[in-house]
Amino acid sequence: IPDGNQPNVVSLHTANGSQYVTVAAPGGTRFLAVEALPAPAPGTFPLETVFPYGLFRFTLSGIPPGGAVQVSLVLSGSLPVDAYWKYGREPGYETDHPYLFMRTEGGTGAEIDGNTVLLHFIDGGKGDDDLNGGNGVIVDDGGPACTMPPVPALSRGGIVVFLILLSLCGFLMRRRRFRSTGPAGQKREDGEEP
């Protein structure tokens, strides 16, 4: 069945157009809206967090009020992901903010298996941005991410040592070149003293 004929399945390109993603929910549910969003601006999420597929926003209806539902994101590429981050509200913190959304024992959150991200929601629970447990609707703003290790930086002392070693290397290379060509830049013959 083509995705366009199924109210609970949507396939779309990522916001930058480089990848393709399928979002699927159980039969009997309906996506009211699905949108690909660009990767967030630097500083919105932790610096080492990268969103190779950007973010997604969807609204899913047809869930029993207060009920649970699973939504799958099938990622077309082989770009690695190891986490799912959300930007929105959560119980006890009703201001929009970034937070990690990984599943704990029997709770809400994401499970990642290769290129499939399985999102576990409970209407009104953590992960449902509208926080209304009686409306049978899940609202999600989030995306699969990977954590990049920080690039080590040199301290001031390390930079000084690096510059000294670089200068020493340059001096030794120049000296070696001078010995092999002579002061006028002429090639010396074997056995000739400098």
Side-chain angles (χ1 to χ4, degrees):
I1 300 174
D3 293 349
N5 295 341
Q6 301 176 77
N8 60 316
V9 179
V10 176
S11 292
L12 69 160
H13 282 98
T14 56
N16 69 6
S18 67
Q19 303 293 327
Y20 204 68
V21 177
T22 298
V23 186
T29 61
R30 175 190 261 330
F31 284 108
L32 301 177
V34 179
E35 181 181 4
L37 305 172
T44 305
F45 290 86
L47 291 178
E48 63 275 0
T49 304
V50 178
F51 293 85
Y53 297 90
L55 298 175
F56 300 93
R57 174 181 293 148
F58 63 80
T59 302
L60 179 68
S61 66
I63 298 115
V69 68
Q70 292 78 40
V71 175
S72 296
L73 293 177
V74 181
L75 312 170
S76 67
S78 60
L79 301 171
V81 295
D82 59 16
Y84 191 86
W85 280 83
K86 292 189 49 57
Y87 188 84
R89 304 179 306 157
E90 60 182 315
Y93 196 168
E94 295 194 17
T95 303
D96 286 345
H97 65 283
Y99 63 95
L100 187 61
F101 188 62
M102 296 301 291
R103 189 165 194 215
T104 56
E105 189 71 30
T108 62
E111 293 180 285
I112 299 171
D113 183 15
N115 69 335
T116 302
V117 179
L118 183 61
L119 302 170
H120 298 268
F121 295 104
I122 295 176
D123 182 28
K126 183 176 181 174
D128 182 6
D129 292 349
D130 71 5
L131 297 181
N132 184 344
N135 68 353
V137 174
I138 299 291
V139 177
D140 179 65
D141 279 16
C146 61
T147 305
M148 302 299 287
V151 176
L154 291 175
S155 65
R156 283 185 180 210
I159 291 172
V160 169
V161 169
F162 174 74
L163 290 174
I164 290 170
L165 289 173
L166 188 61
S167 298
L168 180 62
C169 242
F171 171 77
L172 292 174
M173 288 177 67
R174 183 167 168 84
R175 182 174 174 205
R176 182 176 179 193
R177 184 174 178 193
F178 178 77
R179 284 188 163 196
S180 68
T181 60
Q186 299 171 351
K187 185 98 174 134
R188 294 178 181 259
E189 295 188 25
D190 289 341
E192 189 177 318
E193 290 293 316

